């Protein structure tokens, strides 16, 4: 059985973006238990919508969670089993959970590129 994993990335370089909700793309991978196959890059519709000032924290409300959930769906993350993140705000976290997506948190020391981070978390995906 294979699983689908999303990773927030900058572009085709597959460099991981720390702030999940602001990542320009989500790299979608399929994992068959042995190897990862890149299925494509999905544009993150939330990334360019509006810029928050540095350090700005959105309120954690049902409306904000629903707003983020719409973007999760628009970014075609439905059907993804896992998302690998460095940082995740509470609204995005709740929106992903609403969609049934399991969250795996990693840090910068786990790697800069999607493939190297995925190799390190392989065991968590089985």
């Amino acid at each position: 059985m294979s699983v689908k994993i999303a990773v927030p990335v900058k572009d085709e370089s597959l460099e991981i973006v720390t702030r999940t909700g602001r990542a320009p793309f989500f790299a979608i991978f399929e994992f068959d238990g042995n190897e990862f196959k890149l299925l494509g890059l999905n544009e993150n519709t939330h990334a360019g919508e509006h810029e928050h000032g540095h350090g700005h924290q959105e309120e954690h409300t049902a409306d904000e969670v629903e707003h983020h959930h719409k973007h999760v769906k628009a970014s075609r993350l439905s059907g993804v089993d896992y998302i690998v993140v460095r940082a995740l705000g509470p609204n995005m976290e709740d929106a992903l959970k609403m969609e049934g997506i399991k969250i795996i948190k990693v840090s910068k020391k786990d790697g800069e590129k999607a493939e190297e981070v995925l190799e390190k978390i392989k065991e968590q995906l089985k």
Side-chain angles (χ1 to χ4, degrees), residues 76-121:
R76 300 186 329 272
L77 294 182
S78 299
V80 167
D81 300 291
Y82 295 93
I83 187 165
V84 176
V85 303
R86 284 187 186 155
L88 192 62
N91 294 317
M92 187 65 159
E93 183 169 355
D94 287 353
L96 290 165
K97 287 178 179 174
M98 281 173 75
E99 203 56 36
I101 299 171
K102 295 174 199 77
I103 298 161
I104 298 176
K105 292 192 177 174
V106 297
S107 68
K108 246 184 159 101
K109 68 176 175 17
D110 293 314
E112 292 295 322
K113 303 269 187 173
E115 299 96 329
E116 56 185 321
V117 171
L118 289 173
E119 284 297 323
K120 289 193 175 163
I121 62 159

Side-chain angles (χ1 to χ4, degrees), residues 23-109:
F25 297 96
F26 293 105
I28 308 299
F29 290 86
E30 187 172 57
F31 180 58
D32 64 8
N34 290 320
E35 52 188 35
F36 294 94
K37 175 183 168 195
L38 178 63
L39 300 178
L41 292 181
N42 293 4
E43 187 176 348
N44 178 5
T45 62
H46 188 258
E49 183 185 76
H50 50 84
E51 278 304 311
H52 296 302
H54 186 71
H56 172 80
Q57 183 66 41
E58 294 166 333
E59 286 188 48
H60 188 207
T61 63
D63 285 348
E64 278 296 328
V65 171
E66 185 54 40
H67 171 82
H68 283 66
H69 187 240
K70 284 182 184 148
H71 285 292
V72 166
K73 287 187 158 305
S75 301
R76 300 186 329 272
L77 294 182
S78 299
V80 167
D81 300 291
Y82 295 93
I83 187 165
V84 176
V85 303
R86 284 187 186 155
L88 192 62
N91 294 317
M92 187 65 159
E93 183 169 355
D94 287 353
L96 290 165
K97 287 178 179 174
M98 281 173 75
E99 203 56 36
I101 299 171
K102 295 174 199 77
I103 298 161
I104 298 176
K105 292 192 177 174
V106 297
S107 68
K108 246 184 159 101
K109 68 176 175 17

